[in-house]
Amino acid sequence: MNRLSLEKRTQIIGLLVEGNSLRATSRLAGVSINTVTKLLVDIGTACQKYHDEHVRNLSSKKVQCDEIWSFVYAKEKNLPEDMRGKFGLGSVWTWTALDSDSKLMISWLVGNRDAEYAYMFMQDVASRLKFRIQLTTDGFRPYLEAVEQTFGANIDYAQLIKLYGPSLEGETRYSPAQCNGASKNVVMGHPKKEDVSTSHVERQNLTMRMSMRRFTRLTNAFSKKIENHAHAIALHFMYYNFVRIHKTLRVTPAMEAGITNKLWSLEDLALLI
């Protein structure tokens, strides 16, 4: 079986992490879409494995969590009747946990937005931390039980609950409703009120939508299979953590967090497979 050269793998990965769709990458790199898809699966699997093995024992102090919506195969309202309710079809959520100081993406989980996934997500976040943290989430209720079951009393936890006005209609209906304020609710421990924020992780949501074509709104470049959706996300976060220099930090989040002292290149990513 023919194997892509390191140079060609690096080129394809570079095109993918800069927001190109699979078909656009196929055209620009001069390879078949099946080749691009196969490489995405291989590099996504390798990125997830590397993250699970090396992003551990973190000294994070402040962590922000959020969920970002996307869809696979079709939007919920457009799914055929025989496909409704099946996992990985329709609405799919990506849970994210960001270190507020180093901007490192500590953990992510692709799945449903419910209590079961909230618990699995918190279990993974906790497994990567060394010390007691201050945690901020939005007001999604399943977080309450998931955090308590995972951390017990060994956490300073608060929820930031934003208050929105009525939904927008007409030409502006794709913009979010106006935020009229927010309340900071202490759930357990002694979180510092000035550090109760989800701004950094919400900014990461924008980075995801700008850097992965399948997350862009009003596009036909959506994911057709949840497995490939997860592979694309793993590649994105590996690139974000280890390769892309953060403009404020002037180093990568992985370097700021002390995971590595090396600035990775796209070629280093390609060498994972």
Side-chain angles (χ1 to χ4, degrees):
M1 181 177 178
N2 293 331
R3 177 175 169 83
L4 290 173
S5 67
L6 177 60
E7 181 181 7
K8 182 59 71 172
R9 297 202 308 273
T10 302
Q11 180 190 14
I12 294 172
I13 291 170
L15 290 168
L16 289 174
V17 296
E18 289 298 337
N20 290 285
S21 67
L22 295 183
R23 292 191 183 280
T25 298
S26 170
R27 292 191 295 269
L28 291 168
V31 297
S32 73
I33 189 170
N34 290 339
T35 299
V36 177
T37 304
K38 174 66 165 56
L39 180 61
L40 175 64
V41 172
D42 291 343
I43 190 61
T45 302
C47 287
Q48 184 69 63
K49 182 174 184 291
Y50 189 93
H51 181 86
D52 286 341
E53 291 176 353
H54 292 85
V55 182
R56 298 282 177 185
N57 297 316
L58 302 175
S59 300
S60 304
K61 297 179 181 178
K62 294 178 290 183
V63 176
Q64 301 177 7
C65 294
D66 199 13
E67 324 85 55
I68 179 172
W69 173 85
S70 56
F71 69 93
V72 171
Y73 187 81
K75 290 184 178 179
E76 205 78 39
K77 64 181 181 179
N78 296 328
L79 281 175
E81 283 298 327
D82 61 334
M83 291 185 174
R84 294 182 184 273
K86 293 185 178 180
F87 176 75
L89 297 174
S91 293
V92 170
W93 295 80
T94 304
W95 302 72
T96 56
L98 188 80
D99 183 317
S100 183
D101 294 317
S102 69
K103 308 304 185 291
L104 181 80
M105 184 54 64
I106 297 171
S107 175
W108 66 88
L109 180 64
V110 180
N112 296 326
R113 190 173 185 252
D114 57 24
E116 179 184 1
Y117 273 85
Y119 177 73
M120 288 192 295
F121 177 57
M122 280 299 144
Q123 286 283 302
D124 188 67
V125 172
S127 71
R128 301 178 187 276
L129 302 170
K130 282 199 297 186
F131 306 123
R132 182 186 179 111
I133 62 165
Q134 173 164 330
L135 175 68
T136 306
T137 70
D138 57 25
F140 189 43
R141 289 189 63 82
Y143 276 123
L144 298 173
E145 187 172 349
V147 172
E148 183 178 7
Q149 290 180 347
T150 300
F151 293 94
N154 188 34
I155 192 170
D156 300 310
Y157 175 39
Q159 287 191 328
L160 182 70
I161 301 176
K162 294 186 176 179
L163 309 173
Y164 291 97
S167 299
L168 300 172
E169 299 294 337
E171 294 181 359
T172 58
R173 66 192 178 99
Y174 293 109
S175 300
Q178 182 177 349
C179 181
N180 295 328
S183 62
K184 299 180 179 182
N185 297 347
V186 174
V187 179
M188 62 182 68
H190 304 281
K192 296 180 180 178
K193 282 291 187 77
E194 62 270 21
D195 292 330
V196 176
S197 171
T198 56
S199 297
H200 293 142
V201 72
E202 287 174 0
R203 177 58 180 81
Q204 170 56 219
N205 287 350
L206 174 61
T207 301
M208 291 176 69
R209 293 207 183 278
M210 296 295 289
S211 301
M212 284 182 281
R213 190 62 177 161
R214 63 193 68 219
F215 271 84
T216 305
R217 297 186 185 276
L218 302 181
T219 178
N220 62 355
F222 55 87
S223 299
K224 313 306 185 290
K225 295 168 58 179
I226 192 171
E227 294 84 1
N228 290 351
H229 191 70
H231 291 316
I233 292 170
L235 172 59
H236 165 75
F237 283 132
M238 190 70 188
Y239 174 73
Y240 168 81
N241 279 342
F242 287 86
V243 182
R244 179 175 171 174
I245 295 178
H246 194 282
K247 287 189 176 181
T248 302
L249 301 174
R250 298 176 184 265
V251 292
T252 64
M255 294 171 71
E256 184 72 11
I259 298 172
T260 180
N261 57 9
K262 171 188 174 182
L263 175 61
W264 281 44
S265 66
L266 286 173
E267 187 172 291
D268 291 321
L269 273 187
L271 287 170
L272 290 177
I273 55 176

